[in-house]
Amino acid sequence: ESHLANNDKEKVAASLGIVNDAMTLMPQEPIHTGKNLNNGAQSTDKDAFYVNRTEIEAHRVNLQHLCRICGGSFKNDPYKRSHPVHGPVDDEMQALLRKKERRATSWPDLLNKVFKIDVRGDMDTIHPTNFCHNCWSVIQRKFSNAPCEVYFPRKGTMEWHPHSMSCDICGTSSHGVKRKKQAPNPQVSKKLRIIAERARKIMYARSRKQVNSKSIMKKITNCQKIHLSTKMLIVDYPADFVKSISCQICEHILADPVETTCKHLFCRLCILKCLKVIGSYCPSCRYPCFPTDLVNPVKSFLSILNTLAVRCPVKDCYEEVTLGKYSHHLSSHKEK
């Protein structure tokens, strides 16, 4: 019995020793495994963060070669000309604005007026910081009204988005393979040439058929009852000066004058009627002209025009008034 009791005690002690060993070993392994998992996750996050920062930096570098407005590449310009979006206006544009009696000191103001975009809230990781010389020429044409052909490559301004896995700007897909350029289809290009040639012939035939007679344009405007004749001027001005202050269509004194891109002056009502009837061409030189291209002349010319003295055409009224006050004087006759 004592021998059996001793054996039972030894078995219990041995079992207790195994349990103690197990208890001492169990809490160490999970802690060690958790530390390894945390270290692995941290290293993965660091690698992903580093790759993300690298891609964003490469995206920002690629943006420096693109135009903020049209999205074109500066490499297409043989002179590699570019202008800062947030910089001051250059001397050439400043002289042009001063000549047109306009005021603008920074490019954001001009870009907002011409292209209707606000660049003040741009970020260098999303938006380019320069614009191309072609867009600069568009701005120059807008304020100079010069009769020159300027090509704007897009229907509207470019929309910019943050960098993503399928970024078109970086030129890579999600797998990192560069995009392959598609070869131009010769049949499609031939069709386009045929269509362009037909359109050119049609436009030429229409331009040949358009009437440029002043008598017919006067009948179109029919403004002799609302516009003042140059015979109403009190002073006998030189013929060239009278021609400069008269409409090129009705040959009356300019009423609400507008200026075309080809530098010709018309009454607003006369030019709008003619553009509607004869087409989008200047009645004087046949240069393409649209109602949206009409602008007001410079203020100095308008001030000279408003100081001209005219004789009141109302019967039994021999008063002499300036052209700027003529509408007020005529309203007094209507009240009577």
Side-chain angles (χ1 to χ4, degrees):
E1 290 176 355
S2 63
H3 181 68
L4 291 171
N6 290 331
N7 287 334
D8 293 336
K9 287 180 181 178
E10 288 177 359
K11 288 180 181 180
V12 171
S15 63
L16 288 173
I18 292 169
V19 170
N20 289 332
D21 293 339
M23 291 295 289
T24 55
L25 292 173
M26 282 294 288
Q28 292 178 1
E29 284 187 2
I31 293 172
H32 184 67
T33 309
K35 286 182 179 179
N36 290 335
L37 290 172
N38 290 334
N39 291 332
Q42 288 179 1
S43 62
T44 305
D45 292 341
K46 285 182 180 179
D47 293 340
F49 178 74
Y50 178 74
V51 171
N52 194 16
R53 287 293 299 272
T54 306
E55 289 181 357
I56 292 175
E57 186 65 24
H59 180 76
R60 190 181 66 81
V61 172
N62 291 331
L63 287 175
Q64 303 306 316
H65 302 288
L66 301 177
C67 174
R68 168 65 177 86
I69 301 167
C70 66
S73 177
F74 297 143
K75 296 178 182 179
N76 298 331
D77 187 2
Y79 300 102
K80 303 293 187 297
R81 293 169 294 185
S82 63
H83 306 274
V85 171
H86 299 283
V89 179
D90 55 30
D91 296 336
E92 185 176 353
M93 188 65 70
Q94 195 72 259
L96 177 62
L97 293 172
R98 199 179 299 113
K99 187 177 179 181
K100 300 296 290 184
E101 299 180 353
R102 304 289 181 90
R103 290 184 180 181
T105 57
S106 61
W107 283 117
D109 297 335
L110 287 179
L111 296 178
N112 192 15
K113 288 180 181 178
V114 178
F115 298 104
K116 308 300 181 187
I117 56 173
D118 189 7
V119 298
R120 289 183 176 87
D122 286 2
M123 300 173 62
D124 59 349
T125 55
I126 301 176
H127 306 89
T129 56
N130 297 316
F131 63 96
C132 63
H133 191 73
N134 192 33
C135 295
W136 182 90
S137 302
V138 174
I139 301 173
Q140 185 190 31
R141 179 177 178 269
K142 177 70 176 178
F143 289 101
S144 65
N145 297 328
C148 62
E149 296 294 335
V150 179
Y151 171 66
F152 192 68
R154 297 178 66 89
K155 292 182 179 179
T157 55
M158 184 77 175
E159 293 183 2
W160 302 96
H161 303 284
H163 177 69
S164 60
M165 295 297 290
S166 60
C167 182
D168 295 334
I169 295 171
C170 297
T172 56
S173 64
S174 59
H175 302 287
V177 181
K178 290 187 177 181
R179 294 178 297 172
K180 293 182 179 180
K181 294 184 178 180
Q182 295 181 354
N185 192 349
Q187 293 181 353
V188 175
S189 60
K190 186 177 180 181
K191 281 184 179 179
L192 291 175
R193 285 199 302 270
I194 293 171
I195 292 170
E197 187 66 26
R198 287 179 181 175
R200 195 177 296 111
K201 288 180 180 179
I202 291 170
M203 292 296 292
Y204 179 74
R206 286 181 181 176
S207 63
R208 295 279 294 179
K209 291 179 182 178
Q210 285 177 348
V211 182
N212 57 358
S213 175
K214 283 191 176 182
S215 59
I216 294 178
M217 286 192 289
K218 286 181 181 179
K219 289 180 180 180
I220 292 171
T221 57
N222 192 19
C223 61
Q224 62 270 14
K225 292 183 179 180
I226 56 175
H227 292 165
L228 287 173
S229 173
T230 53
K231 297 178 181 178
M232 297 294 176
L233 292 170
I234 297 172
V235 182
D236 188 12
Y237 293 106
D240 292 336
F241 179 78
V242 174
K243 188 178 180 180
S244 65
I245 62 167
S246 59
C247 177
Q248 300 291 315
I249 298 173
C250 64
E251 297 182 348
H252 295 150
I253 300 174
L254 288 167
D256 192 11
V258 291
E259 185 180 349
T260 60
T261 54
C262 48
K263 298 289 186 180
H264 290 119
L265 292 170
F266 303 95
C267 303
R268 187 183 297 272
L269 185 64
C270 298
I271 185 66
L272 290 177
K273 284 184 178 180
C274 285
L275 291 178
K276 190 175 181 180
V277 175
I278 69 172
S280 301
Y281 294 93
C282 175
S284 297
C285 63
R286 319 303 297 173
Y287 188 79
C289 178
F290 300 92
T292 54
D293 296 334
L294 302 176
V295 295
N296 294 325
V298 293
K299 294 179 181 178
S300 56
F301 176 80
L302 294 177
S303 62
I304 294 172
L305 186 65
N306 290 329
T307 54
L308 296 177
V310 294
R311 189 177 295 104
C312 181
V314 179
K315 191 177 180 180
D316 297 332
C317 181
Y318 305 99
E319 191 172 349
E320 298 176 357
V321 293
T322 58
L323 203 59
K325 298 179 180 179
Y326 173 73
S327 58
H328 179 69
H329 175 75
L330 194 63
S331 63
S332 63
H333 284 297
K334 291 181 180 179
E335 289 176 359
K336 291 179 182 179

